[in-house]
């Protein structure tokens, strides 16, 4: 498995390089030339990406060795499952708070809160106390929720409301962030492997490295973003009312933010229940992405007993996901012009096949780790196709003003399904009388395959319903600009 992992990463990186070259030839960058030539926008974009990419890098560093760290502390698989459930449950609980905080506390302060909470989460990994580790998982759930909302909220507010740049330039920034994100994920696996295994610093080392990276992110937010806000609002606090008035104004602002948040949730639920396309798309997302959360828990115990370098395996998985996103760009280019709906169906079908493979490669007493690794890579390849396809469809069927509320409702069943799956695994493992390597993992993969089959049926229903629906199809000669 050691040799297999290193050969796989070399092959996958070569494939990604070839796909990137082909994608650039067939689908040149779609952002407006005016945005590229505008020095003020380029400075603003670089300012945002500097902090955002540091935050993403810190997040990816914690991926390869989380399960390994808990095993290093001699916890059982059932205990580790509970730790993962605590993280997912905190995501459910903090998702509404994360949507409300940028409006109530302030966008930049919320980003600083992310840096503090995630740093505290990483530092809890130094403890072997189970309760401290649970607190760390709760902090991790809060931080993950903030990462998906606070940074984007700050950027959109500054881009549209303060800088008054054209809205058409926004996708260019997040497309660049997505491109960097894949590279950061691959690099994080390699760096984590170097720290944990090559330098023999142990599985806690990547978490400790994330702390100074988060500190650097917080410094950029505190200083550079602070100067950006001061330049955007040169009057500063000159018109701030007296203390009593300021207190009342702050209270009114909090009430207004809370009212906007609940109104967004109500409108999102109304949109979800009134449009069957949105309901089916939410079902696909809940089923597919809840399986991914379970996969994040299971890939390490499946492969680790066979001795592969976990950081290299993690980089392989991320490289496979990168290859999938590049394939999406190629498939929707002017030469091939495949529809995102067809690619979504293909992604779900590939994921189902990979999980079906895993039900056989993880048979008790007859493990086949190379086949399991191949199935995991296929699942990540499917993820690379899935995410841009589902993002395109969400942009088409969910109105802009209701999207935040609808997506918040999508995440509720997603996290609940993942929690129920991990709790079922915990119950099966703890009830087998010490059968840590029994049939629980295989049964879980079988259950995930059934969930993916249900997702496939939802995709088919969605496109049967909207067979002649132009909202679900690409327009024009190129699809890549719609991502």
């Amino acid at each position: 498995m050691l040799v297999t992992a290193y050969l796989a990463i070399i092959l996958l990186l070569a494939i990604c390089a070839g796909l990137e070259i082909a994608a650039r030839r067939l689908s040149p960058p779609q952002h407006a030339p005016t945005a590229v030539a505008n020095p003020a926008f380029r400075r603003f974009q670089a300012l945002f990406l500097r902090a955002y990419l540091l935050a993403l890098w810190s997040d990816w560093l914690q991926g390869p060795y989380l399960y390994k760290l808990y095993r290093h502390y001699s916890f059982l698989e059932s205990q580790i499952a509970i730790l993962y459930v605590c993280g997912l449950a905190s995501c459910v609980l903090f998702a509404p708070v994360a949507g409300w905080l940028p409006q109530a506390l302030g966008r930049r302060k919320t980003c600083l809160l992310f840096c503090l909470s995630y740093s505290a989460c990483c530092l809890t990994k130094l403890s072997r106390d189970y309760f401290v580790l649970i607190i760390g998982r709760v902090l991790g759930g809060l931080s993950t929720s903030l990462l998906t909302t606070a940074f984007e909220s700050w950027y959109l507010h500054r881009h549209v409301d303060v800088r008054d740049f054209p809205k058409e330039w926004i996708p260019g920034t997040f497309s660049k962030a997505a491109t960097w994100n894949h590279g950061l994920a691959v690099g994080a696996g390699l760096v984590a492997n170097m720290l944990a295994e090559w330098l023999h610093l142990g599985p806690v080392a990547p978490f400790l490295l994330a702390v100074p990276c988060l500190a650097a992110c917080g410094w950029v937010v505190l200083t550079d973003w602070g100067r950006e806000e001061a330049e955007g609002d040169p009057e500063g606090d000159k018109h701030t009312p007296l203390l009593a008035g300021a207190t009342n104004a702050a209270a009114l602002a909090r009430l207004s933010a809370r009212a906007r948040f609940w109104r967004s949730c109500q409108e999102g639920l109304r949109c979800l229940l009134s449009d069957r396309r949105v309901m089916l798309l939410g079902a696909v997302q809940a089923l597919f992405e809840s399986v991914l959360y379970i996969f994040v828990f299971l890939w390490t115990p499946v492969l680790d007993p066979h001795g592969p370098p976990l950081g290299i395996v993690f980089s392989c998985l991320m490289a496979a996901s990168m290859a999938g996103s590049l394939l999406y760009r190629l498939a929707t280019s002017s030469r091939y012009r495949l529809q995102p709906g067809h690619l979504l169906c293909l992604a779900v079908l590939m994921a189902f096949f990979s999980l079906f493979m895993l039900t056989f490669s993880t048979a008790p007493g007859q493990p086949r780790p190379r086949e399991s690794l191949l199935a995991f890579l296929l699942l990540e390849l499917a993820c690379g196709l899935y995410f841009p396809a589902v993002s395109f469809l969400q942009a088409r069927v969910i109105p802009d003003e209701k999207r935040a509320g609808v997506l918040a409702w999508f995440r509720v069943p997603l996290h609940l399904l993942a929690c129920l799956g991990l709790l079922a695994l915990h119950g099966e493992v703890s009830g087998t009388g010490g059968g840590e390597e029994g049939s629980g993992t295989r049964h879980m993969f079988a259950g995930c395959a059934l969930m993916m089959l249900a997702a496939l049926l939802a995709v088919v229903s969605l496109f049967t319903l909207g067979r002649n629906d132009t909202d679900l199809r690409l327009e024009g000669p190129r699809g890549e600009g719609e991502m």
Side-chain angles (χ1 to χ4, degrees):
M1 284 298 292
L2 180 71
V3 175
T4 300
Y6 280 102
L7 289 176
I9 187 61
I10 293 170
L11 178 61
L12 285 166
L13 289 177
I15 291 173
C16 288
L19 289 173
E20 177 67 26
I21 293 170
R24 290 193 177 191
R25 287 177 179 173
L26 292 177
S27 55
Q30 294 296 301
H31 41 270
T34 310
V36 178
N38 188 308
F41 173 73
R42 292 181 65 183
R43 284 195 300 271
F44 170 66
Q45 186 185 67
L47 181 69
F48 167 71
L49 291 176
R50 197 179 308 150
Y52 187 48
L53 294 178
L54 277 169
L56 292 173
W57 169 256
S58 304
D59 184 46
W60 285 121
L61 278 173
Q62 302 173 54
Y65 286 94
L66 180 60
Y67 186 98
K68 180 75 170 182
L69 177 68
Y70 294 145
R71 284 299 255 180
H72 179 69
Y73 289 161
S74 301
F75 292 115
L76 300 176
E77 185 174 320
S78 56
Q79 294 173 306
I80 299 172
I82 292 298
L83 288 170
Y84 274 74
V85 167
C86 289
L88 291 172
S90 66
C91 283
V92 176
L93 295 175
F94 287 123
V97 177
W100 170 73
L101 269 179
Q103 302 172 21
L105 182 63
R107 296 170 182 84
R108 187 164 65 97
K109 289 180 181 178
T110 306
C111 294
L112 288 172
L113 177 62
F114 159 81
C115 297
L116 291 173
S117 63
Y118 223 5
S119 296
C121 169
C122 293
L123 291 175
T124 61
K125 303 299 188 293
L126 291 168
S127 174
R128 293 174 178 263
D129 185 271
Y130 194 68
F131 180 71
V132 173
L133 293 174
I134 287 178
I135 293 175
R137 291 299 293 165
V138 173
L139 288 172
L142 170 63
S143 305
T144 302
S145 299
L146 293 177
L147 177 61
T148 58
T149 56
F151 286 85
E152 182 177 340
S153 176
W154 184 89
Y155 177 81
L156 293 176
H157 171 68
R158 303 297 302 179
H159 182 109
V160 176
D161 299 331
V162 179
R163 288 283 190 165
D164 198 27
F165 291 128
K167 291 184 179 180
E168 293 76 14
W169 295 359
I170 292 174
T173 298
F174 288 103
S175 176
K176 185 176 290 188
T179 300
W180 275 97
N181 191 33
H182 281 115
L184 290 174
V186 175
L190 298 175
V191 170
N193 191 82
M194 179 185 70
L195 294 173
E197 301 191 27
W198 296 352
L199 299 180
H200 304 288
L201 297 178
V204 75
F207 297 92
L208 297 182
L209 177 61
V211 175
C213 297
L214 288 164
C217 175
W219 179 255
V220 172
V221 170
L222 187 64
T223 58
D224 295 350
W225 286 19
R227 283 193 293 271
E228 157 67 23
E229 292 187 354
E231 291 173 4
D233 184 16
E235 295 297 319
D237 294 326
K238 287 183 181 179
H239 300 292
T240 301
L242 297 175
L243 181 60
T247 304
N248 291 334
L252 287 172
R254 285 194 294 271
L255 287 172
S256 177
R258 192 178 298 117
R260 285 198 302 271
F261 169 74
W262 287 114
R263 191 182 308 116
S264 173
C265 289
Q266 291 170 1
E267 291 177 353
L269 182 60
R270 202 173 295 120
C271 176
L272 182 64
L273 296 177
S274 62
D275 191 334
R276 195 176 171 203
R277 300 176 307 168
V278 178
M279 181 77 75
L280 288 169
L281 195 58
V284 174
Q285 181 174 348
L287 290 165
F288 192 100
E289 295 183 28
S290 61
V291 168
L292 295 186
Y293 277 109
I294 296 171
F295 153 73
V296 166
F297 173 80
L298 288 176
W299 74 266
T300 304
V302 169
L303 298 178
D304 189 43
H306 306 283
L310 294 180
I312 302 299
V313 171
F314 183 84
S315 292
C316 289
L317 297 174
M318 296 302 100
S321 178
M322 184 193 302
S325 66
L326 291 169
L327 282 172
Y328 178 89
R329 282 176 58 191
L330 282 171
T332 55
S333 66
S334 57
R335 174 175 293 183
Y336 301 106
R337 301 187 187 181
L338 294 181
Q339 293 298 327
H342 300 151
L343 295 173
L344 178 62
C345 189
L346 176 62
V348 176
L349 187 61
M350 289 169 59
F352 168 74
F353 182 70
S354 69
L355 293 163
F356 186 72
M357 286 176 59
L358 286 163
T359 61
F360 294 96
S361 63
T362 57
Q366 299 176 334
R368 296 192 286 273
R370 288 181 178 83
E371 292 181 15
S372 296
L373 176 59
L374 179 61
F376 287 146
L377 293 175
L378 182 62
L379 180 58
E380 283 291 345
L381 183 68
C383 291
L385 289 169
Y386 164 83
F387 282 106
V390 81
S391 296
F392 169 86
L393 294 172
Q394 286 173 352
R396 287 304 186 91
V397 303
I398 305 173
D400 290 342
E401 65 277 7
K402 300 178 181 179
R403 189 169 304 154
V406 172
L407 294 182
W409 284 108
F410 280 4
R411 285 191 289 270
V412 173
L414 189 163
H415 289 107
L416 288 177
L417 283 171
C419 287
L420 290 173
L422 292 175
L423 286 173
L425 179 64
H426 162 260
E428 185 158 2
V429 169
S430 60
T432 54
E436 286 285 320
E437 296 183 351
S439 57
T441 298
R442 187 187 190 190
H443 290 167
M444 184 53 59
F445 282 128
C448 288
L450 291 176
M451 291 169 64
M452 203 58 72
L453 184 60
L456 184 61
L457 294 175
V459 172
V460 172
S461 299
L462 175 64
F463 292 103
T464 301
L465 178 68
R467 186 176 300 153
N468 300 316
D469 192 341
T470 56
D471 287 343
L472 302 180
R473 301 181 65 83
L474 286 170
E475 298 173 358
R478 296 186 191 275
E480 59 276 6
E482 303 285 353
M483 290 172 55

